[in-house]
Amino acid sequence: MDAFQNLLLGFSVALAPQNLLLAFSGSVLGTLIGVLPGVGPVAGTAMLIPLTFSMGPTGAIIMLTALFYGTQYGGTITSILLNVPGEAASAITCLDGYAMAKQGRAGVALAIAAIGSFVGGTIATIALVLAAGPLTRWALEFGPVEFFALIVLGLSLLTGLAGKSMIKALIMGVVGLLLAMIGMDPVRGLPRFTFGRMELMDGIGFVPVIMGLFGMAEILENAERPFAQVVLARMSSLMPNRQELRASVGPILRGSVIGTALGLVPGMTGSASSFLAYVAERKVSKTPERFGSGMVEGVAGPETANNAHANGALIPLFTLGIPASPTVAVIMGAFMMHGLIPGPFLFKEHPDVAWGVIASFYVGNAILLVLNLPLVGIWVRILQVPYGLLSGIVLGFMVLGAYSVSNSAFDVAVMTIFGVVGYLLRKLDFPLAPAVLTLILGPLMERSLRQALDLSQGSMAIFTESPIAMVLLSAAALILIAPLLRLAWRGRSAPESADAS
Amino acid sequence: MSVQRIHQAAALVLLGIAAFVMWQSWGLEYYTKLGPGPGFFPFWLGVGLAALVAVWLAQVSRPAGRPKEGAFLPERSGLLRIGTILAALGAMAACMDLLGFKLAMFLFLGFLLRIVGRQSWWVTAVVTLLGSVGVYHVFGRYLDVQLPAASIALLARFGL
């Protein structure tokens, strides 16, 4: 009942004309970012944060979260029409989505993806509403000791973002934490690693760093080859027939559950959800051999899962203050720029903001469903804009975004430097996502560690005195040790199997 | 230079950064009566980075862990395009406060669209005008983001 009343309060905020307009703008911009090659959701969200400076915190976060799940819709469009995923979570959709497009069923694939995304996003938001009460009540008991342990656990789960090499992911995690050390020390107020530059006193801006590492690095990578023009698949009627709709019901429900559940786990990416949903559909299908040839289930399952994941990933952010993915970390950064700390206190101190934003997820998802089907033609035309023109415009926006954060050309230089760093790190196969998360969580982690040690007058024993912290830290240790144990086990079993053979 | 050598060089650069961080943090207060000081966290992060990079260096130096050989950097034309974009960005960062947003962005976009992107004159003109003068007014008037005016008196007199 409590949740229901809170949600009603949220709808009164989300349905205010100004917030409706912001949800609409965020959805459109998000879809655009998802559609555009070379601007992923992380850089895109960071790039548009300066647009929200003149808004109140509720409107700003409504726009940025709408932008976030809008990118999921946009990514689908290029996967289906071009066989090029706009973002990683839509990569698996290429298999059946593009096959459907080649058969002239691109419209149906896009419509099913939009319906699935709407249902997935809505179910994940219901989960958020239900989880918000109990999780925040639990988290309100947290002091700095428990909060530090929680952040350590959150960061340990980020080993899921490791990609091919765990060592490289850990290196990037430490690099992010080191970048977070630049600026004033959070407890004593002494400058660290500022090299006498006033611009670094407040720390290195996460917006220019993220735009550089993700957006600019992508543009530099694309500039290696001459800019190419895209070739589009044929479009057809948008309306799926009854048989296609019936075939999509099961995958949409399964995708919603998979995406919401995996979205809760920090470090689990949207692509993991969509891939798992695809595998699940193949497993339950009577004709798994036909997947890849244009099966509507191969679009409905993954597309639902990735949108449910995007909304589900906001649950740990809203309830515990832990971002579950790089884009959510950027949204957390935006919260902080607007003077709010996401987590249990947000519900207590700013219920209108917390519930207003949650209610706006329903509104945003509905807007995307209504908006995107009729607008597919426009997105398709945008895709045909030459990349030489597009990259110039995107770079112009990046300069604007970096400058506007603190009205300083120094941030444009920071973005450029991190663009080069990001480009080289990509070449060296380093995953960049762990750096983003630790860059944003680093100051919170250090502050809670030092506050905890201040309480105990420097004694580390304080971490063993809190049962919650002990459980969280033990879980983190297990997660970090697990890959090493797995490696050792593989090493032991390899000679045994060689002996057996 | 082989890809393996490039990876090893990158590891050495990171080791250098780790050593620099440890050295710098040593100059900050490490521990106080109340607990860790400003140097505590960065020092241990430096140690952690050095340890992780040492493991990576060992990995890429073993024959089994050798990275795949292939071209690390793009061909000459690609490098030229990347260099041009970076030079334009560097010039933009250096000149924005001097020339003002409108003129700097006009030149920046014009260069990227016409020279790098090979767009027609009229597309370049329309986009650069909208992206410089248009954006300046929209951001200033509707989004409360004040973009810089030229600090050179002559340019400022022309409203730039």
Side-chain angles (χ1 to χ4, degrees):
Chain A
M1 192 61 194
D2 234 14
F4 180 69
Q5 276 172 347
N6 287 328
L7 195 60
L8 279 183
L9 162 75
F11 272 113
S12 70
V13 176
L15 292 174
Q18 189 198 354
N19 291 334
L20 266 179
L21 186 68
L22 289 170
F24 176 83
S25 320
S27 304
V28 174
L29 286 169
T31 311
L32 181 67
I33 286 168
V35 166
L36 293 179
V39 195
V42 184
T45 311
M47 191 164 80
L48 294 173
I49 286 177
L51 287 184
T52 67
F53 286 164
S54 61
M55 303 169 190
T58 314
I61 305 299
I62 284 177
M63 182 171 147
L64 290 171
T65 45
L67 190 142
F68 167 51
Y69 43 79
T71 57
Q72 313 292 317
Y73 278 81
T76 310
I77 296 173
T78 52
S79 294
I80 290 171
L81 293 179
L82 289 177
N83 203 21
V84 175
E87 33 87 39
S90 295
I92 199 84
T93 310
C94 291
L95 295 178
D96 283 279
Y98 188 61
M100 284 178 78
K102 282 201 291 190
Q103 294 160 7
R105 294 160 65 212
V108 173
L110 286 167
I112 289 290
I115 295 166
S117 298
F118 170 73
V119 176
T122 307
I123 288 179
T125 308
I126 292 171
L128 170 56
V129 171
L130 296 177
L135 273 176
T136 47
R137 268 194 295 278
W138 179 60
L140 279 171
E141 291 170 19
F142 283 20
V145 178
E146 290 80 11
F147 193 62
F148 171 74
L150 182 69
I151 295 179
V152 172
L153 176 66
L155 288 181
S156 67
L157 285 163
L158 301 180
T159 48
L161 296 171
K164 288 182 223 157
S165 163
M166 182 64 69
I167 281 287
K168 286 181 176 174
L170 292 174
I171 290 174
M172 290 317 296
V174 175
V175 167
L177 283 172
L178 278 172
L179 289 173
M181 297 293 111
I182 296 173
M184 291 286 205
D185 157 52
V187 178
R188 306 282 300 268
L190 294 170
R192 291 187 301 197
F193 307 105
T194 53
F195 311 104
R197 301 244 13 164
M198 282 305 289
E199 296 94 335
L200 290 175
M201 284 293 180
D202 279 339
I204 196 156
F206 80 90
V207 172
V209 171
I210 288 168
M211 281 198 301
L213 285 178
F214 285 82
M216 236 190 83
E218 178 89 29
I219 287 181
L220 294 180
E221 209 169 20
N222 287 336
E224 287 185 350
R225 295 163 294 279
F227 302 134
Q229 185 59 41
V230 298
V231 182
L232 292 166
R234 275 181 301 136
M235 284 284 291
S236 61
S237 149
L238 281 171
M239 282 316 292
N241 59 35
R242 190 173 290 185
Q243 195 190 344
E244 286 164 330
L245 275 176
R246 205 177 303 138
S248 306
V249 173
I252 286 175
L253 292 177
R254 280 186 289 274
S256 301
V257 174
I258 291 171
T260 307
L262 293 192
L264 286 169
V265 184
M268 204 54 87
T269 57
S271 36
S273 282
S274 48
F275 183 75
L276 200 67
Y278 189 81
V279 172
E281 289 320 310
R282 275 194 69 146
K283 283 254 188 258
V284 299
S285 171
K286 286 177 189 150
T287 54
E289 71 285 353
R290 288 181 58 207
F291 272 76
S293 65
M295 293 279 278
V296 75
E297 294 92 330
V299 173
E303 279 308 314
T304 306
N306 74 37
N307 221 50
H309 184 109
N311 284 256
L314 295 165
I315 298 177
L317 177 74
F318 272 80
T319 53
L320 304 172
I322 297 288
S325 73
T327 319
V328 177
V330 175
I331 292 174
M332 181 173 178
F335 264 102
M336 296 197 284
M337 286 176 110
H338 282 275
L340 301 169
I341 304 278
F345 287 101
L346 188 71
F347 287 91
K348 203 177 164 192
E349 289 163 8
H350 304 280
D352 52 327
V353 178
W355 288 103
V357 173
I358 290 173
S360 80
F361 297 167
Y362 293 103
V363 178
N365 273 300
I367 288 174
L368 281 165
L369 179 68
V370 176
L371 186 79
N372 274 327
L373 291 180
L375 288 191
V376 163
I378 292 178
W379 303 129
V380 168
R381 239 167 273 152
I382 287 172
L383 274 170
Q384 286 170 310
V385 173
Y387 190 73
L389 174 60
L390 211 58
S391 62
I393 295 173
V394 170
L395 276 171
F397 259 102
M398 283 185 178
V399 168
L400 190 62
Y403 181 88
S404 324
V405 175
S406 44
N407 283 350
S408 162
F410 179 79
D411 283 336
V412 179
V414 169
M415 181 189 75
T416 309
I417 291 166
F418 278 92
V420 177
V421 171
Y423 172 71
L424 293 174
L425 288 172
R426 276 164 180 245
K427 290 261 162 199
L428 292 163
D429 250 348
F430 273 92
L432 299 174
V436 177
L437 284 140
T438 51
L439 172 66
I440 290 178
L441 283 177
L444 299 177
M445 186 181 178
E446 188 187 11
R447 190 178 298 131
S448 49
L449 170 70
R450 289 176 59 187
Q451 280 172 347
L453 290 173
D454 274 357
L455 287 175
S456 68
Q457 297 195 323
S459 166
M460 290 281 184
I462 194 167
F463 292 105
T464 59
E465 286 160 12
S466 156
I468 296 177
M470 273 301 284
V471 170
L472 295 173
L473 288 172
S474 309
L478 271 176
I479 290 162
L480 285 172
I481 294 168
L484 295 175
L485 292 177
R486 216 177 301 139
L487 269 180
W489 185 78
R490 258 190 230 154
R492 263 185 54 188
S493 60
E496 279 169 20
S497 55
D499 287 349
S501 64
Chain B
M1 204 184 205
S2 71
V3 174
Q4 187 188 30
R5 283 270 177 270
I6 292 171
H7 279 70
Q8 287 170 332
L12 289 176
V13 170
L14 282 170
L15 272 179
I17 293 172
F20 176 76
V21 168
M22 283 188 272
W23 171 62
Q24 284 274 309
S25 345
W26 205 242
L28 299 163
E29 206 172 4
Y30 178 75
Y31 224 82
T32 67
K33 274 187 217 159
L34 291 172
F40 177 86
F41 214 54
F43 177 77
W44 285 107
L45 286 175
V47 172
L49 181 64
L52 288 167
V53 174
V55 174
W56 180 49
L57 182 60
Q59 275 182 353
V60 291
S61 302
R62 280 182 311 148
R66 265 178 103 110
K68 264 189 218 155
E69 285 301 328
F72 184 80
L73 288 174
E75 288 172 9
R76 207 179 127 81
S77 59
L79 266 181
L80 197 68
R81 251 191 311 275
I82 291 172
T84 315
I85 291 172
L86 289 175
L89 278 162
M92 181 72 184
C95 300
M96 186 138 66
D97 287 330
L98 208 64
L99 301 180
F101 176 83
K102 281 183 266 188
L103 183 58
M105 186 55 95
F106 184 85
L107 296 172
F108 176 72
L109 282 177
F111 177 77
L112 284 180
L113 298 184
R114 182 69 198 150
I115 311 293
V116 184
R118 297 180 192 284
Q119 298 303 303
S120 64
W121 278 111
W122 74 267
V123 169
T124 306
V126 170
V127 176
T128 46
L129 273 172
L130 284 175
S132 54
V133 182
V135 163
Y136 182 89
H137 289 291
V138 169
F139 269 63
R141 197 164 297 172
Y142 302 107
L143 295 169
D144 256 354
V145 176
Q146 295 307 321
L147 296 164
S151 58
I152 299 173
L154 181 71
L155 294 177
R157 210 177 303 151
F158 285 107
L160 291 168

